[in-house]
């Protein structure tokens, strides 16, 4: 395979698959559970999933340079290896639908008169275009887009305290309820877990395995810090009760910042989500193509994108973000994603040991 991606590009891919979603959906959920200590749930989720991601990716890279489908068939056999990954693929398909539905939630919040279906179609066209161009184009585009997203987020966090009052007395940061912190960490844990679910499929494109894994871990750390600070700011500025019910609290915070920042936030958030969906779309069609042993994954791109668009329009009555998102994400983590990755991690560990 000629296409290779540098560790720097994988750092930005690591940012892209988590940051656009977590800054919008996670703050109010962790604040509901933990109040001013919600930042601890972000740290707990990031650290626990970061360790698992590091172990899983390291073992997978030590095993082979092949795709996860190829690894699974080698470890479990041609038929069972595919069957084990069917739930994995189905979850990614459902996640693609959820991402497309959610992508317009913020748009309609800011632009109430906008056509949801028109945005879905436009986003789907862009996502299909990115997928058809391949991972190298996605990685280069994402490097620019994620840099803008990360920079915009930092600017908002740095400028907001200059124009509004931050009351640290609302935080009560030393009052911990560990059960609530664990409960609050379940939702962001699934988001941090995307590093394992997504990046293991891109293993054949790793340029330098060890450096890529370190870069992914660093992106996890950067996101932890940013979102933890965001949670602290939201509680300190809005108070626990208000911050816990704001669906788009990041937008509300940017609205308090310097004039024009909220417009920048909107633009870079849309850009970040299109790039994120491009990555998820590419990974899913690659898995499907590998599972059915198709030589060219590009044949799957248009039919798959049309399927996601059709199912999204059909299921447009789902309300996001909110309890639907929260329980879907937590349920998928505990019943499908985590058990599948743990099984593959154990299989990798045993297979690597048997190789020695």
């Amino acid at each position: 395979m000629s296409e290779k991606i540098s560790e720097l590009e994988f750092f930005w891919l690591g940012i892209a698959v988590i940051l656009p979603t977590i800054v919008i959906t996670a703050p109010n959920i962790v604040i509901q559970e933990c109040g001013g200590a919600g930042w601890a749930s972000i740290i707990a989720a990031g650290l626990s999933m970061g360790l698992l991601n590091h172990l899983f990716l390291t073992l997978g890279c030590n095993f082979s340079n092949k795709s996860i489908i190829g690894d699974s068939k080698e470890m479990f056999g041609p038929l069972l290896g595919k069957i084990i990954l069917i739930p994995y693929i189905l979850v990614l398909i459902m996640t693609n639908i959820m991402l497309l539905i959610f992508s317009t939630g913020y748009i309609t919040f800011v632009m109430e008169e906008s056509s949801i279906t028109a945005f879905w179609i436009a986003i789907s066209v862009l996502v299909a275009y990115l997928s058809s161009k391949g991972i190298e184009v996605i990685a280069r585009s994402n490097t620019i887009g994620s840099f803008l997203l990360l920079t915009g987020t930092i600017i908002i966090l740095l400028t907001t305290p200059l124009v509004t009052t931050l009351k640290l007395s609302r935080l009560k940061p030393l009052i911990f309820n560990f059960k609530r912190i664990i409960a609050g960490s379940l939702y962001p844990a699934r988001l941090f877990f995307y590093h394992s679910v997504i990046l293991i499929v891109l293993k054949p494109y790793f340029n330098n395995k060890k450096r890529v894994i370190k870069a992914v871990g660093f992106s996890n750390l950067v996101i932890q810090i940013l979102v933890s600070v965001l949670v602290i700011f939201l509680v300190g500025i809005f108070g626990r009760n208000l911050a816990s019910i704001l669906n788009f609290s990041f937008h509300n915070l940017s609205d308090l910042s310097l004039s024009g920042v909220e417009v920048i936030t909107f633009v870079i958030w849309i850009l970040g989500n299109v790039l994120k969906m491009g990555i998820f779309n590419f990974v899913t069609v690659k898995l499907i193509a590998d599972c059915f042993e198709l030589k060219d994954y590009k044949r799957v791109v248009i039919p798959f994108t049309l399927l996601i668009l059709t199912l999204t329009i059909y299921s447009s009555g789902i309300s996001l973000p909110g309890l639907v998102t929260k329980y879907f994400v937590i349920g998928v983590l505990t019943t499908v994603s985590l058990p599948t990755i743990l099984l593959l991690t154990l299989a990798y560990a045993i297979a690597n040991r048997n190789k020695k």
Side-chain angles (χ1 to χ4, degrees):
M1 181 175 295
S2 59
E3 302 141 301
K4 293 292 181 181
I5 306 174
S6 69
E7 57 270 23
L8 179 60
E9 289 173 320
F10 267 106
F11 167 79
W12 292 113
L13 284 172
I15 294 292
V17 298
I18 301 176
L19 189 59
T21 302
I22 198 170
V23 296
I24 297 292
T25 60
N28 68 318
I29 292 175
V30 299
I31 292 170
Q32 285 173 11
E33 293 289 344
C34 308
W39 59 269
S41 290
I42 300 295
I43 299 297
L47 289 178
S48 58
M49 291 300 103
L51 290 172
L52 179 57
N53 293 337
H54 181 83
L55 176 63
F56 180 54
L57 291 173
T58 299
L59 290 172
C61 287
N62 289 341
F63 182 73
S64 79
N65 293 321
K66 295 185 295 185
S67 71
I68 185 65
I69 293 286
D71 287 349
S72 185
K73 289 194 294 184
E74 185 172 340
M75 292 186 294
F76 297 104
L79 180 60
L80 184 58
K82 290 182 179 180
I83 293 174
I84 286 173
L85 290 179
I86 288 176
Y88 184 91
I89 296 172
L90 290 176
V91 166
L92 277 174
I93 292 172
M94 293 174 66
T95 304
N96 274 272
I97 297 171
M98 298 286 280
L99 287 173
L100 188 54
I101 293 173
F102 174 73
S103 68
T104 53
Y106 185 28
I107 295 173
T108 54
F109 174 76
V110 178
M111 304 168 60
E112 295 181 2
E113 302 300 324
S114 59
S115 171
I116 298 176
T117 303
F119 274 110
W120 279 335
I121 294 172
I123 291 171
S124 296
V125 170
L126 290 173
V127 167
Y129 174 79
L130 283 172
S131 292
S132 65
K133 289 299 180 180
I135 189 60
E136 285 187 314
V137 171
I138 292 175
R140 286 195 296 268
S141 302
N142 177 72
T143 297
I144 299 171
S146 290
F147 173 78
L148 294 174
L149 178 63
L150 183 62
T151 303
T153 305
I154 293 172
I155 289 173
I156 290 169
L157 293 178
L158 290 177
T159 58
T160 301
L162 301 178
V163 294
T164 189
T165 303
L166 177 64
K167 297 181 180 179
L168 296 178
S169 59
R170 293 172 173 170
L171 300 177
K172 300 179 182 178
L174 298 180
I175 299 177
F176 290 99
N177 183 316
F178 289 102
K179 289 184 179 179
R180 285 190 172 275
I181 288 173
I182 293 172
S185 70
L186 290 176
Y187 176 81
R190 168 59 182 164
L191 303 180
F192 281 109
F193 198 50
Y194 282 152
H195 281 167
S196 281
V197 175
I198 295 298
L199 298 182
I200 194 67
V201 182
L202 303 178
K203 180 159 61 83
Y205 303 99
F206 287 13
N207 188 27
N208 184 305
K209 297 177 183 178
K210 291 183 178 180
R211 289 183 179 179
V212 165
I213 293 172
K214 288 180 180 178
V216 172
F218 185 55
S219 69
N220 174 302
L221 179 61
V222 169
I223 294 168
Q224 283 184 54
I225 294 171
L226 283 178
V227 182
S228 297
V229 173
L230 174 60
V231 170
I232 291 171
F233 278 20
L234 289 172
V235 176
I237 292 170
F238 295 112
R240 172 177 178 169
N241 292 336
L242 180 56
S244 66
I245 63 173
L246 292 173
N247 283 335
F248 298 104
S249 53
F250 185 59
H251 173 81
N252 296 113
L253 189 67
S254 67
D255 204 24
L256 296 175
S257 187
L258 300 177
S259 177
V261 169
E262 73 279 3
V263 177
I264 298 173
T265 304
F266 178 73
V267 172
I268 63 175
W269 185 86
I270 296 298
L271 173 62
N273 271 275
V274 169
L275 290 169
K276 174 174 181 171
M277 285 185 281
I279 297 167
F280 272 77
N281 186 287
F282 174 82
V283 164
T284 309
V285 297
K286 275 290 293 179
L287 276 173
I288 294 171
D290 289 345
C291 188
F292 289 98
E293 299 178 357
L294 302 176
K295 293 183 178 180
D296 188 2
Y297 79 92
K298 293 181 181 180
R299 296 179 181 179
V300 185
V301 172
I302 293 178
F304 177 74
T305 306
L306 288 174
L307 173 66
I308 296 301
L309 177 60
T310 303
L311 292 175
T312 299
I313 294 173
Y314 176 77
S315 59
S316 58
I318 296 177
S319 177
L320 290 173
L323 291 178
V324 173
T325 305
K326 177 181 177 180
Y327 293 125
F328 169 79
V329 168
I330 294 174
V332 165
L333 172 67
T334 54
T335 62
V336 181
S337 300
L338 191 57
T340 301
I341 296 301
L342 289 175
L343 174 62
L344 290 170
T345 301
L346 179 61
Y348 274 137
I350 294 172
N352 285 332
R353 183 176 180 180
N354 290 338
K355 277 186 173 183
K356 294 180 179 180

